[in-house]
Amino acid sequence: QAEDGIRDRSPSRGLGDVYKRQFLVDASTGEPRGEPFVAAGTQLQRATLVREGTVLAAQGRDGKLRLWDVATHRSIGPALATNGAYTESLERVSDTVVVSGGEGAVVTWDLDPASWMERACRLAGRNLTSTEWAAYVGGDYRATCEQWPAAP
């Protein structure tokens, strides 16, 4: 990898600088688009775009994966633990981020909310109860899992 941190020269991909900040780059001009993505307390090492280019996933030198909304530059949730500080690759497969490390460990993060819902329904084997809905979702109750009857 070059010291200037170029990750991918295809349209609207990332560019890192020597300070390990991540930029999005306009492929037609080669110029950075907007402000850099920065993680407090660590240098960003690798990055990829997911969710049809709406989310930037980047791993810091501390070994944690961070997500940002590309349009707003806002962080999405807390940093996620991966397989350690040394990462050989950070790849995107559909809406899944795959992190592989120097000792052969691989961690995958599925970033598709629809698949989260499907898994949650399969694991729970039921819809949320009205009490759970009020505590975690709020508003008017509706069935969350199509395959199960609505809770009373």
Side-chain angles (χ1 to χ4, degrees):
Q1 175 175 316
E3 180 58 28
D4 66 1
I6 294 174
R7 303 289 188 262
D8 188 336
R9 289 189 173 94
S10 55
S12 297
R13 294 295 190 223
L15 167 72
D17 63 10
V18 293
Y19 301 105
K20 302 296 184 181
R21 300 173 296 183
Q22 294 294 322
F23 294 86
L24 292 184
V25 176
D26 183 318
S28 63
T29 66
E31 295 296 317
R33 277 190 340 198
E35 294 298 312
F37 294 86
V38 179
T42 191
Q43 294 177 330
L44 297 175
Q45 295 179 304
R46 301 195 184 332
T48 189
L49 292 168
V50 292
R51 304 278 307 139
E52 298 179 357
T54 62
V55 173
L56 177 75
Q59 187 177 31
R61 184 163 277 191
D62 61 0
K64 294 182 179 177
L65 183 69
R66 289 163 175 79
L67 306 174
W68 286 272
D69 179 288
V70 169
T72 65
H73 274 64
R74 288 190 182 168
S75 178
I76 302 172
L80 307 169
T82 61
N83 56 331
Y86 180 73
T87 299
E88 287 187 355
S89 71
L90 175 73
E91 303 293 331
R92 174 185 57 85
V93 178
S94 186
D95 283 336
T96 300
V97 174
V98 180
V99 180
S100 63
E103 296 179 6
V106 176
V107 176
T108 61
W109 292 98
D110 181 351
L111 302 180
D112 180 8
S115 72
W116 301 344
M117 182 74 108
E118 186 272 324
R119 285 184 194 157
C121 288
R122 187 175 63 238
L123 288 170
R126 63 177 175 79
N127 277 292
L128 292 174
T129 66
S130 334
T131 303
E132 290 167 334
W133 182 273
Y136 303 114
V137 180
D140 294 335
Y141 177 86
R142 67 174 179 80
T144 50
C145 305
E146 295 175 3
Q147 70 270 42
W148 305 108

